[in-house]
Amino acid sequence: MDSSRHLSLQAIFDLAQKALLSNGFSDSQSAAIARNVCKAQIDECHSHGLFRIPFYINALKNESANPSAVPELVKNDKSIVHIDGKNGFCPVALELGLPVLAEKAKEFGIAAMAIHNVYNIAALWPEVERLAEDQLIGFAFTASNAFVAPAGGISPLYGTNPMAFAWPRSGKPPLVFDQASSASARGEIQLHARAGQSIPDGWAIDAQGNPTNNPDEALKGAQLPFGGHKGSSIALMVELLAGALIGDLFSYESSQKDTHGVGAPSGGEFLIAINPTACVLGEQADSQQSRAEMLFEKLLSQPGTRLPSSRRYEARKRSEANGVDIPEKLFEEITALIQ
Ligand code: NDP
């Protein structure tokens, strides 16, 4: 069995931030990224935890990536908030914009935020969970690099294009789902390659368009959308919302900008926040939560079901109580990045 290294929650943050600082990231960029990576590691979202630190550092091979960018709130006049990430990384831009988006949604009932010009290598659930903690419904969308063939095609065009959704719950952590529109996240294929494991059927095709279970062939070929044409349409929608709508890059354009082929997606992220109480006739506001809970109870009464995000919350409880274990190999890889 591979050996592992036990880390406290503070140690995850320190390890991530030290590696980033030593490779040219500013205090604010490195702290926001480390907080984001820490959240993913604590929730056992391994493909976006400490595993991502070398990718953040590698992304700097792109001439445009700016490890000390200071994002700016550039337009905030109506119900749409605009943040210019200045070619830095998404977590710090989100930390600037989310409180403003939440205030706008409370004021107008519905608001949106366009994050422009960022490198985005992160999971999307932290931002929608943050909106739900403010009693708002949250949606987030981002395109990535051209990794996924459209339904019927064999060449990468779409990104793995995740979308996330959050529903606030009284007295409980929000219901959240966050899923790629591909059959798997790219990080999952990279983790399989690193572990020398084959990937499940239906995740990818090789460069000739043949189905493959070999993660290295999959990374050279194309990933597949989940659910055939249905996932393909969701990937298309994400391209339109996070690309054309907000004047930012499509996944294939991000790939063209990825001059060293490091796989670091750049472009925009689009978020929507809704104030639930603005959506019903006055007297129905009280029943929104109880009706949702009734649905969750019905769902959970079926054996074998669970709510999306319940796995993460259970992992979070475990990590907060005991710390986390990461593969020794990963610990050494990140430690080696600290000069
Ligand atoms: P998964 O398929 O692992 O999970 C997707 C969602 O489904 C999660 O919310 C998960 O909840 C939920 N879920 C899983 N199993 C069940 C079940 N049996 N019943 C109910 N709900 C379930 O995620 P993906 O591989 O699609 O994506 C992984 C991550 O990669 C995402 O966080 C995404 O944002 C990120 N990503 C980021 C990209 C970027 O460019 N920035 C690109 C592509 C992906 P739970 O978490 O509780 O298991």
Side-chain angles (χ1 to χ4, degrees):
M1 209 175 101
D2 289 345
S3 58
S4 60
R5 170 76 57 145
H6 189 74
L7 297 177
S8 67
L9 306 195
Q10 184 64 44
I12 310 170
F13 176 86
D14 291 344
L15 181 64
Q17 194 184 21
K18 271 188 201 150
L20 295 164
L21 283 171
S22 317
N23 285 277
F25 285 78
S26 63
D27 286 344
S28 60
Q29 286 281 340
S30 62
I33 295 168
R35 277 190 283 276
N36 182 284
V37 159
C38 219
K39 283 183 187 160
Q41 194 67 51
I42 290 170
D43 282 13
E44 295 177 11
C45 295
H46 298 292
S47 57
H48 292 83
L50 284 166
F51 171 72
R52 280 279 140 188
I53 290 298
F55 286 81
Y56 277 101
I57 293 169
N58 230 355
L60 299 183
K61 288 181 183 154
N62 288 293
E63 288 77 13
S64 67
N66 183 354
S68 50
V70 178
E72 194 186 337
L73 179 62
V74 282
K75 205 168 144 205
N76 183 25
D77 48 354
K78 296 207 173 72
S79 60
I80 306 201
V81 181
H82 292 265
I83 304 285
D84 183 353
K86 310 267 181 78
N87 281 310
F89 292 77
C90 204
V92 71
L94 283 164
E95 287 185 2
L96 172 68
L98 282 168
V100 188
L101 172 62
E103 282 313 307
K104 290 276 179 203
K106 284 177 196 164
E107 185 184 348
F108 293 105
I110 182 164
M113 176 159 72
I115 307 249
H116 306 272
N117 305 319
V118 281
Y119 279 82
N120 193 341
I121 322 180
L124 302 188
W125 55 261
E127 42 266 42
V128 292
E129 193 178 310
R130 160 75 181 74
L131 290 170
E133 280 160 7
D134 256 338
Q135 303 312 313
L136 299 167
I137 287 164
F139 294 87
F141 311 88
T142 190
S144 66
N145 273 7
F147 296 135
V148 178
I154 63 164
S155 302
L157 173 67
Y158 300 144
T160 43
N161 295 7
M163 62 174 281
F165 167 79
W167 173 273
R169 298 176 76 189
S170 350
K172 293 184 180 151
L175 171 116
V176 175
F177 75 74
D178 175 15
Q179 58 193 39
S181 46
S182 46
S184 75
R186 193 159 189 86
E188 284 299 327
I189 301 186
Q190 289 159 338
L191 280 171
H192 278 75
R194 173 181 284 239
Q197 292 165 347
S198 57
I199 55 170
D201 289 346
W203 278 20
I205 48 180
D206 65 19
Q208 287 70 47
N210 304 309
T212 184
N213 299 103
N214 179 324
D216 296 315
E217 293 304 319
L219 293 169
K220 286 186 228 148
Q223 290 178 244
L224 293 173
F226 78 83
H229 61 281
K230 298 182 187 183
S232 197
S233 297
I234 291 178
L236 175 59
M237 175 189 74
V238 173
E239 295 284 338
L240 293 172
L241 292 178
L245 179 70
I246 63 168
D248 226 301
L249 302 182
F250 291 128
S251 296
Y252 78 88
E253 292 169 323
S254 166
S255 287
Q256 287 161 358
K257 194 173 151 194
D258 186 11
T259 42
H260 290 73
V262 293
S266 57
E269 179 169 332
F270 185 62
L271 297 100
I272 302 169
I274 301 174
N275 184 353
T277 57
C279 296
V280 279
L281 297 173
E283 68 275 12
Q284 290 169 329
D286 293 343
S287 66
Q288 278 175 321
Q289 279 292 323
S290 55
R291 284 179 43 74
E293 292 303 319
M294 206 165 64
L295 179 65
F296 300 154
E297 270 173 37
K298 275 201 178 295
L299 182 163
L300 293 171
S301 70
Q302 294 194 28
T305 61
R306 72 166 172 92
L307 293 180
S309 61
S310 60
R311 179 203 62 80
R312 277 195 307 104
Y313 295 141
E314 281 161 24
R316 188 178 299 177
K317 263 195 218 147
R318 271 196 306 278
S319 303
E320 284 171 353
N322 309 321
V324 304
D325 290 303
I326 66 163
E328 184 66 25
K329 199 169 148 198
L330 177 61
F331 178 78
E332 283 166 12
E333 187 183 341
I334 298 174
T335 308
L337 294 167
I338 303 172
Q339 288 118 30

